[in-house]
Amino acid sequence: MISDGSDVTLREGETEETACKCCGAPTTVVTGYLEVGDLSAGWYTVGVTLGKPDHLPLVRLYIGDWTEGAGPDERWALRIGIARDGPTLLDWPETDTAEVRPVFTPLNRAQVLGTPMEGQLWSLLDTILTCDSRL
């Protein structure tokens, strides 16, 4: 990652209306981009399924080198559930892990918590939740 997260700015991207994969309920997914000057610090999606209290809003944060020549060892992604009492870093389901490994490395809680990346993660999440006007 090219930043500790404190100098990152946010650029809002697309908004998509879709159906929840597990129950078919209407779901809104917003995309945004995290930048440090002219450089990319990553991108994210936030999915919200309205009317389903058992479905936490889900942030997927993608960091690393997402240029065409980069491989999965240079790209990482994290999943963060947003509950009433705050965000929680989530592990990737095994079915998703196998599917995404050719594109990026999915990081689980044990790979992030207690590491230098943890502070960056929470700083980026704070930028997303406070600066994206759609959330």
Side-chain angles (χ1 to χ4, degrees), residues 82-101:
I82 308 296
R84 291 188 195 277
D85 59 348
T88 302
L89 188 58
L90 304 171
D91 288 339
W92 285 79
E94 274 303 313
T95 54
D96 290 354
T97 299
E99 185 178 320
V100 301
R101 279 203 191 277

